[in-house]
Amino acid sequence: MRPIILGIAGLAAVAGCTPAAPPVKSLVLVEGGVTATAPAGYCIDPGSSNPDAGFAVMAPCATLGSGDNAPDVLGVATVQVGAPASGMVADNSEGLISLLGNDAGAGLLSASGNGGDITVIAAEAEENTVTVHFNDDGVPPIKGLDAEEWRAFTDINGRLVTVAVRGLASAPLTEGTGSWLLGLVVTGLLGTDENTDASASES
C-alpha cells in the first residue's frame, strides 16, 4: 500500500494539486479533428492541456481532485496532434522505424532535442502505428517523471498523433505496465466514435 500512496502523492505534485478546471474523461482537440479519451481510472487535466494546439495531459483521476480511487498502474500520458496532412505512419511505418534508429530520429524522441540522450530499447511497426520504448537521460518533459518512456505514433484524420507515457522517477513503470498504459491511450484515440467516423468519411 505504501508505494501506491507515495505514487499518488508524487503524481499529485506532477499534475498539480489544484487543477484550474475539473478533470474530464475526454477532450476534443484541434477543433474536432481528434478526440482524446482517457483510460479507466485516468482523466484529462484541462488546466495542463491545450485543445486548440492539439495537446492533452492524462493522469490518474485521483491526483486531479476527482475523488476517484487510484488505478493499479500510475503514470502520466500526453497526446500531441500534428498539423493537417502531417500524417506519416500509415504509408511508411518501416521508414519511421528506421528514422528513429538514427541520430536525427533520436533527437525527435528526446525531450531536449539531443539525440545523444536517447537509448532505444525496442521499436515495433504495426498497421498505422509505430511504438518505441526508450530511455531519455535528459531533463524530463515534466519535473518528477522517470527517464523511461513508451511512445506511439499513429495517423488520425490525416494528422500525425503522438502519445507518450512515463511513470514517476520515484515509482517507475515496468515494461509490461508502460506498454499496457500506452496501448490503452492509443485505443482511446482510435476507438472513439468521432475519430472512427471522421476517418471513415475520408476513406
Side-chain angles (χ1 to χ4, degrees), residues 47-175:
S48 300
S49 304
N50 186 338
D52 292 339
F55 181 68
V57 177
M58 300 180 185
C61 300
T63 69
L64 299 174
S66 69
D68 293 10
N69 293 326
D72 292 336
V73 176
L74 302 175
V76 173
T78 60
V79 176
Q80 180 65 66
V81 181
S86 59
M88 58 183 294
V89 181
D91 296 329
N92 192 26
S93 59
E94 293 295 342
L96 180 55
I97 287 280
S98 297
L99 171 64
L100 296 175
N102 62 39
D103 291 341
L108 298 176
L109 295 173
S110 170
S112 64
N114 181 5
D117 291 335
I118 300 299
T119 301
V120 174
I121 299 170
E124 183 178 359
E126 299 179 357
E127 183 179 0
N128 193 36
T129 304
V130 166
T131 57
V132 186
H133 177 199
F134 61 93
N135 278 323
D136 185 349
D137 292 329
V139 177
I142 301 175
K143 185 178 180 180
L145 293 184
D146 188 35
E148 193 169 8
E149 181 170 315
W150 289 259
R151 192 177 296 186
F153 302 89
T154 188
D155 295 344
I156 299 177
N157 296 343
R159 298 174 183 263
L160 176 65
V161 179
T162 305
V163 179
V165 166
R166 293 197 189 201
L168 281 175
S170 59
L173 295 170
T174 67
E175 164 60 31

